[in-house]
Amino acid sequence: YDFTMLKPARDAFASKLDFKQLKSPLDKFALSIGQRWLEESGGLELMNQSKIPYSEYLVGRTKAREEDVIQIKKDIGRTKASSMTQKTLRDFMIKMNPKKLKEQLGRVLLSFCIRQSHLGYAQGMDYIVFFLSAFMAEEHVFWTFCGMVEKLMPQDFYSPPPQMMNGFLTEKKLTILLAEQIFPKLVKKVGKSQLQNVLEIMAPKWMICMFVDSVPLDANCMVFQSFFHRKGHLGTAAAIFTLISNCEFASAADDEEDFLMSVMETVNSVTASSMSQGLQKRLFEVQVDVAEKHRATIRKDLAAAWNDSENTTSLFEMVGQTTFSVEELRAFQAVFKGIYRKSKQGINQKSFEGVLLKSAPQLPPYVIDRLFTIFDTDKRETLNFCELISCLGVLCVGSLMDKLRLLFHIFDDEKCGFLGPEQVRRLCESLESMVANLIVSKSSEEEAAWLVLDSDSISCNISNPECQAKNRSGVSNFLGKNISNLAHSIKSIKISPPSSSGAATSSSALSSVSSASSLSFAGGASESPTCNASPASSLSTPPRSASKFSGFIQSVRSRAKSLSSTAAKRSPSQSPNQSPALAPASLPADPLPLTNPRDNSTSPAVPQPETLLSSPPPSSSSSSSSSSS
């Protein structure tokens, strides 16, 4: 940069670093800082654009995943003012009501787990929410944190296993690389490996927790301001460079332990003036385009590391997440290496389509595109080995809950944690498109079970001996017989938006179902809604997490079983107008069985890596007759 041209930007940034008036949490000055952070984080934009208000996330938080609930309860019990080591932060936060603060932390974090159900909770989030709670109201804390995660951090910064926090690893390696370039004298003095090891140790506390309880209160506020001003972790890196520069010539360390102690002393003794001066100098030291080039290289190296067959630890981690065996993973890895040697990147979207269409030719293009987007966590427009295995692990050997969660994420394209009327419509149309290849002819469609929707109840009419045949336990068999008529019914509905009071304004009860009901899925346990419930009474409500996606699907399963048992008791003479029954052998196979094949010895075997990854996609002429695992 030409630093003379940056003087106005520096002056504008410096004007926001005066925190001397900060006396008490949630006072007038603290709230003014919080309002500024709400806007700069992008949280205000999210709050104004979101179709789901914070109040609905509060309702839905009771359905968060059990593992998230357990971990959040543990962490918020430890994240309290009295446990802070920095005296200035402790004295500041202790002025807040500890009980109310703890309850607020739980509400905000669980609501975030509903909105970002594909991420869930990660340790370190509690520190950020804890700090923000002193500067803004609860709803603003929620939206500011959502803005930080969704707009300013890499999308995979908090990514779950097996690519555990891949974005954080990228930012950490970037910071170390830039530090080596910015401080050549320090590297020469203490050694490159010592600098790397110290930053490896301190990076989680500094970057994941945003320096909370690592530096004094006013310096910590400057770190947050730097993060918001630079729109991401380059602002956090500037704070790290400031601390390093303070000990660059003060350190007389001869080994790694001495250098680490020198860094810790610098962190504990940093003052507001030294942090302010350092940030004004370091914030614009690294150009964005240079940082992006380094990020791309780092992400490519991280992706290539998954191809290392000697990395047994990573394979065992993937076993726990995908239920593939180590032998199967090694076989997949060998095939993937051949693909990687040719492309030098991984599997692109076209190749990914070929992989899926080989096993499930009836998948609509929208579903394939969304699958690729969901599993391309590092946004390199190619799938590395870990991303591909994560996808196949859910589709091939995933549990029912894993597949329901993935199905929800596919159609939650707005990433708001809820399915609205348009998403539900698209879901039904996509399922109709999928089963179109499974229905041999119009007559077989008429012979299948059909769904009747009216204004009073939702019921199923099955008058076919085919339903007496083996009704497999998967949801797809029942949906495959009913979704065609269901989708045709939904197509004829005119959607009316809900009124300001939350009640649907449509004159039709069925329209009320579509316009005012939304589905949310977080993986928690709850009672499934019954299929005979009145739509006007049970479904014409604002979007609520209680009517969650898994409950909807499970109710279809329950209804299918009850109708199957009822049809089994009915003799053929009671249905004189029925069509001849389809032979059990002609029933279409599940394209993606919803139960784990490993739990049933009669289920299809896991597809072999060679046939799944290497063969070209099937032609359109053969796709209708394909029967896959």
Side-chain angles (χ1 to χ4, degrees), residues 28 42-43 66 86 96 128 236 287 317 334 338 346 404 413 421 484 498 519 531 550:
K28 185 177 180 180
E66 184 179 0
Q86 287 291 332
M96 299 186 70
I128 298 176
T236 313
Q287 299 184 41
E317 290 177 358
L404 288 176
D413 48 9
S484 180
L519 301 172
C531 287
S550 58

Side-chain angles (χ1 to χ4, degrees), residues 141-190:
V141 172
F142 171 78
W143 289 113
T144 300
F145 184 63
C146 288
M148 293 174 67
V149 175
E150 298 174 24
K151 288 181 171 290
L152 303 185
M153 295 181 181
Q155 294 191 15
D156 57 345
F157 189 83
Y158 291 113
S159 60
Q163 291 209 117
M164 187 69 171
M165 303 188 76
N166 192 66
F168 161 69
L169 295 177
T170 301
E171 295 301 306
K172 180 183 68 174
K173 290 180 178 296
L174 173 64
T175 302
I176 295 173
L177 178 62
L178 293 176
E180 294 171 358
Q181 297 176 0
I182 293 173
F183 303 104
K185 293 182 179 179
L186 181 63
V187 171
K188 183 178 180 180
K189 184 177 182 180
V190 302

Side-chain angles (χ1 to χ4, degrees), residues 26 64-65 69 172 235 238 260 443 458 472 506 512 524 530 551 614-615:
L26 301 179
R65 286 182 292 185
V69 175
K172 180 183 68 174
L260 177 60
S443 59
I458 300 177
R472 287 173 293 175
S506 173
S512 300
T530 59
S614 58
S615 301

Side-chain angles (χ1 to χ4, degrees), residues 548-565:
K548 60 191 178 109
F549 187 67
S550 58
F552 169 72
I553 296 294
Q554 295 291 359
S555 68
V556 175
R557 292 189 70 189
S558 302
R559 186 64 176 167
K561 290 182 180 179
S562 64
L563 292 172
S564 178
S565 60

Side-chain angles (χ1 to χ4, degrees), residues 163-291:
Q163 291 209 117
M164 187 69 171
M165 303 188 76
N166 192 66
F168 161 69
L169 295 177
T170 301
E171 295 301 306
K172 180 183 68 174
K173 290 180 178 296
L174 173 64
T175 302
I176 295 173
L177 178 62
L178 293 176
E180 294 171 358
Q181 297 176 0
I182 293 173
F183 303 104
K185 293 182 179 179
L186 181 63
V187 171
K188 183 178 180 180
K189 184 177 182 180
V190 302
K192 186 176 180 178
S193 61
Q194 288 192 28
L195 178 62
Q196 290 178 348
N197 292 339
V198 168
L199 291 179
E200 287 275 358
I201 294 172
M202 302 306 300
K205 184 68 173 176
W206 289 349
M207 302 185 72
I208 297 178
C209 300
M210 292 287 292
F211 279 88
V212 175
D213 202 29
S214 293
V215 293
L217 174 65
D218 48 4
N220 208 162
C221 292
M222 294 178 188
V223 173
F224 272 77
Q225 186 60 56
S226 176
F227 177 85
F228 293 132
H229 194 84
R230 200 64 201 271
K231 303 299 182 186
H233 279 289
L234 280 182
T236 313
I240 296 175
F241 300 152
T242 299
L243 297 176
I244 294 176
S245 64
N246 289 342
C247 65
E248 181 175 9
F249 298 103
S251 175
D254 294 326
D255 56 28
E256 181 180 326
E257 184 177 355
D258 290 341
F259 180 59
L260 177 60
M261 293 301 297
S262 176
V263 172
M264 293 302 299
E265 290 175 2
T266 303
V267 170
N268 292 328
S269 62
V270 65
T271 62
S273 59
S274 62
M275 180 64 81
S276 176
Q277 294 172 7
L279 286 175
Q280 292 178 55
K281 178 182 179 181
R282 302 292 178 184
L283 187 64
F284 303 99
E285 195 161 16
V286 180
Q287 299 184 41
V288 176
D289 56 346
V290 173

